[in-house]
Amino acid sequence: MIRVARLLYVSWFFNLKQLTRSGLFIFTSIVEPLIFATLAYYLFKAGQRPGTLLYASLSAGLMGIWTSTLFGSGGVISWQRWEGTLEPIVAAPPPLILIMFPLTLATATIGLYSLTATLLWGRIVFGIPLEFAHPVTFALAVGVTILALGALGIVIGGSFVLYREANALSNMLEFPVWIVTGAIVPLALLPGWVHYISWVLAPTWGFRAIRTATFGGNAWPAFGMLFLLFVVYLAVGQWFIDQFERRARERATLSLV
Amino acid sequence: MAAIEAEKLRRTYKSTSGFARRRTKTIEAVRGIDFEVGEGELFGLLGPNGAGKTTTIKMLVTLLIPTSGTARVLGLDVVRDARAVRRKIGYVFGGERGAYDRLSGLDNLRYFAELYGVPPKVQKRRIPELLELVGLTGREKDRVEGYSRGMKQRLHIARGLLHDPPVVVLDEPTIGLDPVGARELRHTVAELARSGKTVLLTTHYMYEADALCNRIAVIAQGEIVATGTPADLKSIVADRTVVEIEAFGAPEETIRRLREAPGVTSVAVEDREQAQVLVVQSPHGLELTQELLGYLDGVRVGRVAAREPTLEDAYVSLVTDGR
């Protein structure tokens, strides 16, 4: 158990280090959320609702976490194949999920750049005070949201590699998920059937936990749902990864040559 | 017990072509091969590009599932006991790719040491030892993207040895290296065998197999065409004479007619800058030089020399006889 925990930690840190060396990845993780944050500030200001400006900062940051998870995890296996590192990691003894999960977790963690950037942008440029009702719960909510998104990343990465056509959905999935998880408009404004989709998406509960910790209220139901989804995603992700590994060894698709 | 055993090992690939009417073609990469590598042996799998060497290796290291047949490493089945096999085997492949280029060599080694379950205390001792072994001490903190091709190859070797595996598989480790780098790497491989590890090496360089291997299997078109010590293989062409003819711009048609000439066993063509060196084998005692030059009428010819057959001639003979 300790060995598995150490493997997960070392692999997560290794992959995080690798991702932070990609200037372009960091740049896009920061710039896009800042644009959305700026738009949101002006919209909220125009709506004469100054009390919700922090809401705009948080939403833009969380949208950034989702974007970096979606694009980072979606291409994770293809990227390893392209770099020639897929074969060495598959040839290593641990189950592939233990190697892939820290990787997708690292892509979700990179989203912290987005959240930090939008909060600081709001504070420095628009003078929005950073006041959190429950600072400790806020930090915990961010951490748990990233963990759950990392697990969702395994499902995304696994399914995209198994069904290659699904990769084309990356761009399509970015904006709709922002909407159905309540990052742009409150869920209450959306049709009832959309709520079923929202409930199975970790970002919904992550946003809810973070906002509750910021503005006050009970965040624990959202934590409970995040934990449940984390377990379900890992189970589904493991199935995808196992299928991928078996098929790749049968069809010789682990390397480009 | 043999360290590596392959029995009727076979692997096919399917490729599809066409858009409206898709056609599936089955390619036989490895056609039911048998071989054994003893514990502590340095065994060479020698063959031209596309002969099936890498496919064989990938089945042994569990990256490919055989279409049929079986393979075992230290008695463990490569399909059924894949995870156990991975713990016993160190896989080193040739080429520049396969490392995390934006991170340092040390970062790469630490990560893979973790994947192979090497305890932290052992890592602290083992990683510097391996860096020393492969000559990367002092450069371990540099990013891999700044390494030369040879340094990347040596990093692959260090990575393959992190968990101190009893069996090491090296797939064309010297490919693309300059002569000095290749020599240093061969020295490292020889050291591995001396330390008691079982080494399976694939190469298409005859002199490399000759210099390093206790035994060699020659593979061509997915089949093993000969197995033995370098001396055994040399004896295959002991009864032959070899004539080397330096030619400039010999057309394909001329070379084809040369191959079909009476008394000619095989013709290999080596390109050396502007010249081609035609290596012609014929039965011992048959003096064919004048006849051969007759076939090259109209082609500028340089140096012509007859010599005793080498292991490389044996290899050429083995891989071309079946064509």
Side-chain angles (χ1 to χ4, degrees):
Chain A
M1 194 64 194
I2 291 171
R3 182 164 282 186
V4 170
R6 190 184 150 84
L7 169 66
L8 292 174
Y9 170 72
V10 171
S11 301
W12 168 77
F13 189 71
F14 176 84
N15 287 299
L16 195 60
K17 202 169 168 184
Q18 161 90 356
L19 288 170
T20 54
R21 296 281 164 89
S22 168
L24 191 68
F25 197 67
I26 298 297
F27 182 74
T28 50
S29 301
I30 293 174
V31 171
E32 193 182 47
L34 287 189
I35 293 169
F36 282 109
T38 309
L39 288 173
Y41 297 137
Y42 284 115
L43 285 171
F44 278 69
K45 263 189 170 175
Q48 302 293 309
R49 294 167 65 192
T52 53
L53 283 178
L54 186 57
Y55 185 100
S57 288
L58 287 172
S59 292
L62 294 168
M63 282 153 67
I65 297 181
W66 166 244
T67 301
S68 71
T69 308
L70 176 65
F71 290 103
S73 302
V76 72
I77 291 177
S78 306
W79 172 75
Q80 297 268 353
R81 184 188 282 125
W82 181 254
E83 292 282 307
T85 48
L86 188 57
E87 284 196 332
I89 59 176
V90 171
L96 197 52
I97 184 108
L98 292 181
I99 302 174
M100 286 298 168
F101 173 58
L103 220 170
T104 57
L105 185 60
T107 66
T109 311
I110 285 290
L112 277 180
Y113 277 94
S114 312
L115 186 61
T116 311
T118 56
L119 289 175
L120 288 178
W121 184 254
R123 179 77 194 88
I124 296 165
V125 180
F126 295 92
I128 302 165
L130 299 180
E131 289 164 353
F132 302 100
H134 309 289
V136 177
T137 315
F138 173 81
L140 193 64
V142 171
V144 173
T145 301
I146 284 171
L147 266 177
L149 260 75
L152 178 58
I154 282 281
V155 178
I156 297 168
S159 58
F160 280 15
V161 76
L162 212 51
Y163 309 103
R164 290 185 190 192
E165 297 76 10
N167 205 13
L169 296 176
S170 280
N171 290 326
M172 278 173 61
L173 282 176
E174 188 186 19
F175 199 71
V177 169
W178 288 347
I179 294 175
V180 301
T181 54
I184 294 178
V185 289
L187 280 179
L189 297 178
L190 301 174
W193 60 269
V194 174
H195 293 192
Y196 297 111
I197 301 170
S198 306
W199 290 340
V200 296
L201 292 170
T204 306
W205 303 100
F207 294 170
R208 192 170 290 186
I210 289 171
R211 283 176 194 150
T212 311
T214 306
F215 299 109
N218 183 8
W220 294 106
F223 279 137
M225 277 306 291
L226 282 170
F227 177 74
L228 181 69
L229 287 173
F230 173 78
V231 173
V232 172
Y233 291 155
L234 280 189
V236 176
Q238 166 132 35
W239 185 84
F240 276 126
I241 294 288
D242 285 351
Q243 292 292 312
F244 156 71
E245 187 184 341
R246 190 180 54 77
R247 285 197 204 178
R249 289 169 65 212
E250 280 171 4
R251 297 177 187 175
T253 54
L254 286 170
S255 70
L256 290 174
V257 289
Chain B
M1 182 177 67
I4 301 173
E5 301 160 89
E7 282 173 24
K8 297 185 174 56
L9 197 60
R10 184 171 156 265
R11 172 73 204 198
T12 60
Y13 294 112
K14 283 194 168 63
S15 72
T16 51
S17 60
F19 182 70
R21 285 182 58 196
R22 289 180 79 78
R23 283 184 297 274
T24 303
K25 201 167 97 181
T26 302
I27 299 154
E28 292 261 350
V30 175
R31 302 163 186 253
I33 61 172
D34 296 273
F35 66 92
E36 272 191 16
V37 182
E39 280 193 46
E41 194 175 12
L42 204 165
F43 188 87
L45 200 55
L46 184 70
N49 292 332
K53 302 186 297 290
T54 299
T55 300
T56 304
I57 291 291
K58 285 188 178 175
M59 287 190 277
L60 294 175
V61 301
T62 76
L63 289 176
L64 282 178
I65 295 175
T67 307
S68 63
T70 56
R72 284 181 294 276
V73 174
L74 297 171
L76 300 161
D77 187 276
V78 297
V79 179
R80 208 175 45 240
D81 312 312
R83 297 215 184 284
V85 169
R86 290 170 187 177
R87 281 187 206 101
K88 301 280 184 196
I89 211 161
Y91 172 41
V92 178
F93 52 88
E96 287 187 82
R97 295 163 68 248
Y100 294 88
D101 283 0
R102 287 199 292 261
L103 297 177
S104 69
L106 185 61
D107 286 331
N108 273 271
L109 292 179
R110 280 183 181 153
Y111 176 57
F112 278 93
E114 211 59 53
L115 293 190
Y116 278 88
V118 181
K121 273 187 188 169
V122 180
Q123 285 184 33
K124 274 189 184 157
R125 176 176 47 80
R126 185 123 187 92
I127 291 175
E129 278 174 7
L130 287 171
L131 287 166
E132 189 66 39
L133 176 77
V134 299
L136 286 176
T137 304
R139 297 294 305 275
E140 69 271 26
K141 290 185 179 163
D142 296 355
R143 285 191 188 191
V144 174
E145 63 193 1
Y147 284 12
S148 68
R149 189 172 185 138
M151 290 165 73
K152 286 180 184 174
Q153 295 280 76
R154 285 181 276 144
L155 180 65
H156 289 328
I157 292 201
R159 182 176 66 189
L161 299 174
L162 279 166
H163 55 303
D164 197 17
V167 177
V168 182
V169 174
L170 301 115
D171 190 12
E172 306 200 9
T174 57
I175 195 163
L177 291 188
D178 63 70
V180 176
R183 192 176 61 191
E184 285 172 1
L185 214 138
R186 282 196 290 276
H187 176 74
T188 307
V189 174
E191 283 296 313
L192 291 178
R194 267 194 287 276
S195 69
K197 294 191 185 302
T198 303
V199 181
L200 173 59
L201 169 81
T202 78
T203 179
H204 58 249
Y205 301 127
M206 193 67 231
Y207 55 89
E208 190 165 280
D210 192 12
L212 290 172
C213 300
N214 308 116
R215 279 193 313 134
I216 297 167
V218 178
I219 185 167
Q221 294 170 44
E223 289 175 329
I224 289 182
V225 291
T227 309
T229 64
D232 292 338
L233 297 183
K234 278 178 206 170
S235 70
I236 292 170
V237 287
D239 61 344
R240 292 188 187 176
T241 295
V242 178
V243 178
E244 280 190 359
I245 305 168
E246 190 180 40
F248 296 86
E252 200 53 45
E253 175 59 20
T254 303
I255 294 167
R256 190 187 60 76
R257 282 195 288 121
L258 206 58
R259 283 200 172 106
E260 290 167 0
V264 170
T265 317
S266 73
V267 178
V269 183
E270 294 169 20
D271 289 317
R272 289 185 196 163
E273 295 177 356
Q274 279 110 34
Q276 300 153 292
V277 176
L278 311 177
V279 184
V280 184
Q281 292 187 28
S282 57
H284 191 63
L286 203 61
E287 181 44 67
L288 285 178
T289 309
Q290 285 311 315
E291 284 89 334
L292 295 175
L293 292 175
Y295 280 94
L296 293 169
D297 194 27
V299 174
R300 190 157 73 88
V301 172
R303 193 178 60 87
V304 179
R307 59 166 174 79
E308 287 301 305
T310 64
L311 191 55
E312 184 158 354
D313 298 317
Y315 165 69
V316 170
S317 171
L318 284 164
V319 299
T320 55
D321 278 0
R323 288 181 185 173

